[in-house]
Amino acid sequence: MSLRQDVRHGARIGRAEFVRSLRGYTKEARRIIGIGFALLFFGGMLLSSLPAVYLAGRTARSMAEIPYFGVATTAVPVALLALAMLRTFERIGSVEAEDFVLTAVHPRAVVIGLLTAEVGRLSLWFGLPIAAIVTTFTLGLGTPTLLLTAAAVVIPLTCWATVWGYALGIAVLRVLRRLPGVRRVLKAGGVILMLAFILGSQFAGKYIVSESASVESLLSGLAFGPLVDYVSLAFVGTPLARPISGSAVVIILAIVVLTPVGLAASTRQATALWFTDVSTRSEPRQTNVSTGGFSAPKPFSLLKSGRVAWGFLVRSIRHPQKLTHLVMILFFLGPLGSSIFQSPGDALGPLIAGTGVGFGTYLAGATFGLNPIGDDRPHLPLLLLTETTSQTIVRGRAIAGLALGIPVAVLVPLGSIALGTTSVYGLTFALVGIGMCLAAAAFAVGLGSAYPVYEARKFWGAETVVPSTLVMMLYLFVVGSGTVIGLVTTWYSVTGHLEVTALLGGLIGLYLLLTVGASYGSYRYAIHRYRSYTLD
């Protein structure tokens, strides 16, 4: 087929893939509500930053006055390249109805369609916020032509990053197909790097605010001069324009030449991935037959619900991608961790003790309780026909979460005694942590049963079912608020700063009543949901 025909077919495939993505976002009310909450949160942050952007446009007299301009213009293309690679692993390594599509059109048309849809998705999620910021800066600068020149600079750079990110991602997928043992190493390394990046970004943000001058001078050395000169072309025709350098022209020529080359490389890599079968050596395999069956260690073996809990723990070790939703807590632990390390010595121990209780409480409910029915959906027909009662199944999930949460909530406060926390404070925090973990585990199973999610999503090449974002945010809000209130009350009580009055006693009683009542009610609701579950 000719290039013109491939482009036409690719445009149709891209439109179909993009529309399918939009329908996936809006096919369920639960997902729409979750997206709405995300838009409110991030949209609020964006709107709050626009006045500062407008003021920067009003006061800027040169590009040197735009903070972190060089670092940002270097980091954004690199981030787009990495994002395109990750998206290739997760989503666009193949097309929907692959067998049918590959027999109908040329692979180049499929690649063009996938890349077109991906550029559309990137424009939807990142292009609109960036367009709002650029438009606001343009209004402050008073030069409308900046919108056109910025688009003329950003769009080719985005296409280059998407094409080459896809080519590199397909190449990695081919390597993983030939060397399947490397996949586990990359998964573990990728998760560790992601966790380190999230935590590091939280610490770095606070450090940048407190040490802005030194950090800015340090980051300025990371800027890539030719790329900065290229992005500076967006300011041509504005008061911030500077002479066009030879390095900017080289970058333009490189983008013009390398984008078609990247498309050709992507097509060759994708064709090899889609049409090549990996030969495997047929070696006799020895089947390992278990002679003792499934046996749980003590104390899990003492109760049937304990054995169910042990099964959940073993399955999470074998399939750690089922716990990827726990990463959300790092966005809260990062700023808290930086505050802890900068706290005075006498406050370090109690802060660590309280953080341990909070983290343990989060693990007790969030690990296994936020999507019980959705997580059990593949084997529910068998599970519900066994002699095991619904109460035992729900209790097993809660015990599995408690097996992870209680040790953290107890050992961290006790360990903080070595950092200055008195023995009484450490023991009190540990005892309070046990109660909070019990309440969180019971509350989580009911909340997760109310909004089950059945659809599996790809994460690092593995299918996994994760709880609803709305459920996770609601759990964080309710349990986080209750934990903070309980810890603050405990701290002021053991330090003697609270005067015992009838009003205080009533408020504490109301807090305990709401905590116990909501947790027990959620626990009973989860049992009811399992008992009344019907298979469609």
Side-chain angles (χ1 to χ4, degrees):
M1 291 186 180
S2 65
L3 178 61
R4 180 179 299 179
Q5 289 177 321
D6 289 341
V7 171
R8 185 170 65 250
H9 294 318
R12 292 176 180 175
I13 294 173
R15 182 179 59 184
E17 287 288 312
F18 183 71
V19 171
R20 190 168 63 88
S21 299
L22 294 181
R23 290 174 179 173
Y25 299 148
T26 59
K27 69 178 180 180
E28 291 183 356
R30 184 187 305 112
R31 187 168 296 181
I32 295 175
I33 294 174
I35 294 176
F37 273 97
L39 291 177
L40 287 176
F41 179 75
F42 293 105
M45 295 177 58
L46 176 64
L47 290 177
S48 64
S49 65
L50 292 183
V53 174
Y54 179 80
L55 182 62
R58 293 282 294 177
T59 58
R61 294 296 177 265
S62 67
M63 281 184 290
E65 298 180 7
I66 302 177
Y68 305 107
F69 177 76
V71 178
T73 54
T74 304
V76 169
V78 175
L80 286 175
L81 185 69
L83 181 62
M85 287 185 61
L86 294 176
R87 293 285 294 171
T88 303
F89 299 154
E90 177 186 1
R91 184 185 184 105
I92 61 175
S94 61
V95 67
E96 187 74 11
E98 179 178 320
D99 295 338
F100 171 75
V101 174
L102 292 178
T103 56
V105 296
H106 193 275
R108 181 170 55 188
V110 179
V111 171
I112 293 174
L114 292 174
L115 293 178
T116 302
E118 187 61 20
V119 170
R121 284 186 285 262
L122 290 175
S123 301
L124 179 65
W125 290 107
F126 300 101
L128 293 180
I130 293 175
I133 293 175
V134 173
T135 302
T136 305
F137 187 85
T138 301
L139 293 176
L141 191 61
T143 309
T145 57
L146 178 59
L147 292 175
L148 299 177
T149 54
V153 168
V154 172
I155 291 177
L157 189 61
T158 303
C159 294
W160 169 86
T162 304
V163 167
W164 279 101
Y166 184 78
L168 294 175
I170 291 293
V172 173
L173 288 178
R174 291 186 62 194
V175 173
L176 295 180
R177 173 182 285 186
R178 293 184 176 275
L179 302 174
V182 181
R183 184 181 291 270
R184 286 187 177 181
V185 178
L186 288 181
K187 284 182 183 178
V191 171
I192 293 174
L193 287 177
M194 182 181 64
L195 299 181
F197 174 77
I198 294 174
L199 284 175
S201 63
Q202 302 299 314
F203 283 94
K206 191 163 186 177
Y207 183 72
I208 288 175
V209 173
S210 60
E211 304 289 343
S212 57
S214 60
V215 173
E216 185 171 2
S217 61
L218 176 64
L219 293 179
S220 61
L222 302 178
F224 183 56
L227 192 56
V228 175
D229 293 337
Y230 168 75
V231 178
S232 301
L233 296 177
F235 296 96
V236 171
T238 69
L240 305 182
R242 63 185 186 184
I244 300 176
S245 64
S247 58
V249 176
V250 172
I251 294 294
I252 294 175
L253 295 176
I255 291 176
V256 171
V257 173
L258 291 179
T259 300
V261 173
L263 179 60
S266 299
T267 303
R268 293 180 64 89
Q269 294 284 354
T271 302
L273 178 68
W274 295 334
F275 291 97
T276 303
D277 295 328
V278 179
S279 59
T280 57
R281 293 176 299 176
S282 57
E283 296 179 354
R285 292 186 177 182
Q286 181 179 359
T287 304
N288 296 323
V289 180
S290 176
T291 57
F294 179 82
S295 58
K298 291 184 179 181
F300 294 97
S301 60
L302 300 178
L303 297 173
K304 191 171 186 178
S305 56
R307 295 192 291 273
V308 173
W310 178 252
F312 288 125
L313 293 172
V314 171
R315 189 170 65 175
S316 67
I317 295 175
R318 293 175 178 174
H319 305 282
Q321 66 270 17
K322 290 182 175 294
L323 306 180
T324 54
H325 61 281
L326 298 178
V327 175
M328 182 178 291
I329 193 62
L330 296 180
F331 291 99
F332 300 90
L333 285 181
L336 181 61
S338 61
S339 301
I340 290 176
F341 286 113
Q342 295 178 2
S343 61
D346 55 347
L348 181 61
L351 283 176
I352 291 179
T355 302
V357 172
F359 187 53
T361 303
Y362 170 77
L363 290 178
T367 308
F368 300 104
L370 292 183
N371 191 30
I373 297 178
D375 195 28
D376 288 336
R377 176 65 180 269
H379 43 268
L380 269 180
L382 176 63
L383 190 64
L384 297 178
L385 292 176
T386 62
E387 296 181 356
T388 303
T389 63
S390 301
Q391 185 176 3
T392 302
I393 297 172
V394 174
R395 192 179 297 168
R397 279 195 170 271
I399 292 175
L402 292 172
L404 297 179
I406 287 182
V408 176
V410 172
L411 296 179
V412 173
L414 295 180
S416 68
I417 296 176
L419 300 175
T421 306
T422 63
S423 301
V424 175
Y425 297 167
L427 291 173
T428 303
F429 271 98
L431 293 175
V432 170
I434 294 175
M436 290 183 173
C437 287
L438 292 172
F443 176 74
V445 291
L447 179 63
S449 299
Y451 300 97
V453 175
Y454 306 113
E455 297 82 7
R457 293 183 294 176
K458 280 190 175 182
F459 185 86
W460 289 94
E463 293 282 346
T464 180
V465 179
V466 296
S468 168
T469 303
L470 177 61
V471 169
M472 289 189 287
M473 295 300 295
L474 186 59
Y475 175 81
L476 278 173
F477 175 76
V478 174
V479 175
S481 302
T483 302
V484 170
I485 293 174
L487 289 176
V488 171
T489 304
T490 302
W491 172 253
Y492 278 100
S493 299
V494 296
T495 55
H497 290 86
L498 281 182
E499 182 180 353
V500 180
T501 61
L503 177 61
L504 178 63
L507 292 176
I508 293 177
L510 179 62
Y511 167 79
L512 294 176
L513 180 62
L514 290 175
T515 301
V516 175
S519 300
Y520 182 74
S522 297
Y523 169 71
R524 298 302 305 177
Y525 175 75
I527 296 174
H528 170 73
R529 286 280 290 170
Y530 267 88
R531 287 174 177 172
S532 60
Y533 186 83
T534 57
L535 298 173
D536 297 331

